[in-house]
Amino acid sequence: MRHTGILFFPAFDWSLGESHPEREERLLYTQEQLFEEGILDLPRIKQFSPRIASIHEGLRAQALFPTPQFHLEALDAHLIAAGSAILLGEARVRGDIANGFVLARPPGHHSGATVWGNRGFCTLNNEAILVNHLRAHFGIKKIAIVDTDVHHGDGTQDIFYHDPNVLFISLHQDGRTLYPGSGFVNEKGGPNAWGQTLNIPLPPGTGDEGYHYVLENWVLPRLQVFAPDLIINSAGQDNHFTDPLASMNLTAGGYGRITELLQPDLAVLEGGYSIEGALPYVNLAILLALAGEDYYHVREPQKLDRSVLTLSSIKPYIEGLKNQHQTINPHWTIQNKYFFPKGDWIYIPHSVYYDTEGFQEIRHDYIRQCSYCGGTVYIESSRSSFPGKSILVRIPFMACSECEQAGYELWDHLQHQREDADYGLLQNQLHDKQDLWQRKEGLR
Amino acid sequence: MPNQVGIDVGGTYTDAVFIQNGKIQNTAKVPTRAENLVETLLDAFDALKITNVPSINNVTVSTTLVTNAILQDRISPVSLLLFSGNGMSIDALPWPLSYLELSGEIDFRGREIEPPDLREWEKLQTSDFSENLVHVAIVGKFSHRNCLHEEQLAAYLRNLYPSIHVALGHEWGQANFFRRSMTTYLNLGVSDMYTNFSEQLQTALSARKIHAPVSILKADGGTLPLAKIRPIDSIYSGPAASVLAGLAQSDPKDSSIIIDIGGTTTDLGLVLSGNPLLSTKGAQIGPFSTLVRSLSVRSIPVGGDSVIRATDQGFFLESYRLGPAYCLGGNVPTPTDAMRYLGLIDYGNERLAEEGLASILPTERRTPKYLRELATAIIDRVVDRIADAVDSLKHEWEEEPAYKVWEVLHPHETKAFYTVVSGGGARGLITALGKRLNNPVQLGLFSEVSNALGAAMARPTFDCTLHLDTYMKYYRVAETGEQGKWTGSLRPHREVENFINTLAQKQAKQYEVAIYDLEKEPFDFFPIVQDYRTVGQIVRGAVHLRPGVIGRVHV
Ligand SMILES: [Zn+2]
Ligand SMILES: [Zn+2]
């Protein structure tokens, strides 16, 4: 039997605060709904229990600045959500399940390559940690992540922006009208992964029909061309018409259809803050669609009373976006610093606002242009009103020998020559190794 | 410790034991007369030859009455009416029975989303279905949050047919519409038979001048008075009894694996630091999934009388029995013959055991060397099967879902397990089992009547799980389905503790259970926020009297 795995980890004893939208009650009604329906008695459904991810597994995808220890106490729930994604991902790759749904809190898709704290309710990126785990341990090469949360999956985009083997597609409410204010069509990927990021910002009020149209006419064809080994759906529930933070007007049935169209190997819960009106129904519909059961009877009690854009008004908008996407050309700035190993280094400045705690991260990203691999990444990062500078050096999966060499030269330079850097992480994805460095104590 | 009588009605034999101050005074074994359980119970009781009957403080019975009735499809016809609402289409689930869906919907907070359609109810009276309307089970989705529709329909039907027996789903107060429906259905289906049994038994006991209270053992290893138990709760009390017997012989803090090796089946259970492991899902009986709380037990079709069949590669251990072992006059070789041949047991004819085993071997190999090898291999095979089941039970326990950070950070530590083995096949297997399981194995006391011993030593179990929604201003009790108004504060703290204590006292009184050592589960508080303002809380908490024994037994 083709089982659908479910890993339900509501973290009932963890929240960011009593009136915070990401609070412990978030999956309470989903649990009531799923248990009452007898979902776990469906012969198709197989339940899994959570496990905690190790810091090592987290660092494979993300640099925790200034040090992992700095975050450790606040990370328990996040590590369990990430570990849960890994556990179900492994079950999928081993063939124990045909597909699965990681229904875990807290979410993760706003958490990027460097982490100074919680952003958009996220500290660790569950999908990214999962993807890098599967690539490190199971030799999977090509993975597509389709982010259907109403918010732009900026953290996931950041982590895989230079990775030619990860296709990242995000459908979201236009960044000009919603947090985090990014995710425009011109964000198409770094110099070695141009076109492997696809952003589809949608106008408020898009609704079921519009969403399905975009999926069928843009997302699915793009997926087909990429032909990934695995499709992961960052399944945020905040497109629902009852969501208090957004206005996309999707229904639970609409979500079921999205799942049916995408056929993800794994769906991973992201946002969704209409705790009563949407989550129990949307989660049920997604799970049923994954299990190949009817989701047509899943009907939220509230009626859709917001206005939904007609398909005829969305079509020209999408055509416009597609055109924009096709015609846009990269314009890179080459900036080779005196200590950079040979090659051309593309400079991309990047700053990130941490809304939960209210501070700014300033980043200088450099990518070694390479026609053989994803290219070594060098990131200098500092946090407003926080002393010191932290550095990430990333040698990519399937790195060519020159890029690997470049990575080690940078790492060596950091430790012996740099006076202004205090902390560093070397992510050697090629050999699944990470080194942490701290000026005071040296290499640990 | 008082004077206890325990009786276990098994499929073939009924065992009984009389315990005085923790000492086993007398044991008995009589054949089970399936057609007359009351007589069987009295036979077993009489066989104990108790001289001072009035001194008996308690009689506990574990009975297969309900289990067998369900498995043999001998339950009264019940019409199942469902308020199935929206959500998953319910025919996605493997229903082993027919039902009728009615409109009307309640949501997860207990709010009425759609009222029932009275025209559908009117059709009920005119259809054929109503002609023989005697037993009707009515179950609504989310009725454990609000029983309104169930009660409305019950009142409507009772008004039309005053003699009708109605059972309502919310009385099984836990989430899971599918299992709640089946539990309600089965409990109603066996209730007449159980009432009949209970009445006959009362009469018969009075005739024997037994005035001690009579309790029935439940699937969760607890007891309840004969008249208070919900019949379906009495299923699987046999395996529960063997776990309790093991518990009564081990250190109160030990973790143990309890193995009861019978002729055809072997039952297994786990005790974790003195607490028998409960199954998270309800019991499964035949094709029915229920909400009946039960111990996490396994039954595997392996025992001393399992048939050994010769194959090209050697032999195969079958999962059925064809009469007694060869050495005891049977027609086929069995593990018992292997045990007899190796001298691990002293009953049965040694020469016959050899003859039985030899029949597995090719003529040229019927020498002591090969016979020994074969007998050892058979025992290893039996032990492997049992050990695999032990591993899978342990695995299931380790894989319990966790819903809180705390639970994941404090996983089930690997415990040191002792093994207590009982049953007819036990003696000859302990050495091999100890080796295979790699931990100490102990042969249970009076292992031939261990289920009766477990029944005698069982104590009541008790659970009171509160679900309180202060915004909706109602509370529900999962075990009894009690639903009521909440008049306390929106954000209660201390007052919920008193509240649950009061509920528990009331419930205990109703079930005639003396509660002590109540274990408190910490309360969960979920804020209900509207427009960034906390408008109430959902509070969950529980108190338990876990399954256990009244003391320890010694010889
Ligand atoms: Zn979101
Ligand atoms: Zn390279």
Side-chain angles (χ1 to χ4, degrees), chain A residues 109-110 149-151 238 271 273:
Chain A
H109 74 148
H110 294 306
D149 188 281
V150 77
H151 300 96
D238 36 14
Y273 307 97

Side-chain angles (χ1 to χ4, degrees), chain A residues 103-114:
Chain A
L103 260 169
R105 294 176 56 232
H109 74 148
H110 294 306
S111 169
T114 54

Side-chain angles (χ1 to χ4, degrees), chain A residues 109-110 120-121 147 149-152 178-179 236-239 243 245 270-273:
Chain A
H109 74 148
H110 294 306
F121 322 151
D147 190 318
D149 188 281
V150 77
H151 300 96
H152 175 226
L178 194 69
Y179 178 91
Q237 328 297 52
D238 36 14
N239 290 296
D243 198 88
L245 306 183
E270 283 295 340
Y273 307 97

Side-chain angles (χ1 to χ4, degrees), chain A residues 192 368-376 396 398-404:
Chain A
N192 307 324
R368 186 178 189 273
Q369 210 162 20
C370 182
S371 36
Y372 303 104
C373 76
T376 286
M398 296 186 279
C400 69
S401 56
E402 280 187 31
C403 282
E404 190 189 12

Side-chain angles (χ1 to χ4, degrees), chain A residues 247-431:
Chain A
S247 35
M248 289 306 268
N249 297 352
L250 254 60
T251 66
Y255 265 101
R257 177 71 183 143
I258 289 175
T259 312
E260 198 172 54
L261 286 170
L262 269 181
Q263 293 289 332
D265 292 280
L266 223 56
V268 181
L269 178 70
E270 283 295 340
Y273 307 97
S274 172
I275 293 173
E276 283 199 51
L279 278 158
Y281 307 102
V282 174
N283 287 326
L284 176 63
I286 291 179
L287 193 56
L288 290 174
L290 284 173
E293 297 287 352
D294 278 3
Y295 52 83
Y296 315 116
H297 303 275
V298 181
R299 232 163 282 134
E300 53 283 80
Q302 249 165 291
K303 297 284 165 280
L304 174 61
D305 54 3
R306 299 186 194 172
S307 67
V308 176
L309 296 177
T310 58
L311 196 53
S312 56
S313 69
I314 288 170
K315 275 181 178 170
Y317 175 87
I318 300 299
E319 287 316 308
L321 277 185
K322 264 189 171 169
N323 258 329
Q324 231 184 308
H325 183 80
Q326 269 156 16
T327 50
I328 200 136
N329 284 315
H331 45 90
W332 309 116
T333 320
I334 297 177
Q335 211 181 89
N336 296 328
K337 292 200 176 190
Y338 75 93
F339 61 86
F340 278 179
K342 75 168 187 303
D344 275 335
W345 293 77
I346 307 295
Y347 171 64
I348 302 174
H350 187 60
S351 82
V352 185
Y353 182 66
Y354 287 71
D355 57 313
T356 312
E357 291 158 78
F359 64 83
Q360 194 89 24
E361 177 190 12
I362 308 293
R363 260 173 48 177
H364 303 284
D365 298 9
Y366 302 85
I367 301 90
R368 186 178 189 273
Q369 210 162 20
C370 182
S371 36
Y372 303 104
C373 76
T376 286
V377 175
Y378 173 82
I379 296 176
E380 292 181 358
S381 165
S382 56
R383 167 188 164 165
S384 59
S385 69
F386 198 90
K389 191 180 272 184
S390 294
I391 286 166
L392 166 66
V393 177
R394 184 202 295 150
I395 298 167
F397 279 102
M398 296 186 279
C400 69
S401 56
E402 280 187 31
C403 282
E404 190 189 12
Q405 178 66 26
Y408 275 102
E409 279 175 34
L410 287 169
W411 186 239
D412 191 65
H413 174 82
L414 166 73
Q415 291 166 44
H416 300 108
Q417 322 280 321
R418 288 295 290 274
E419 296 296 317
D420 60 337
D422 295 312
Y423 307 98
L425 169 70
L426 172 72
Q427 270 173 355
N428 184 344
Q429 298 182 336
L430 179 67
H431 292 116

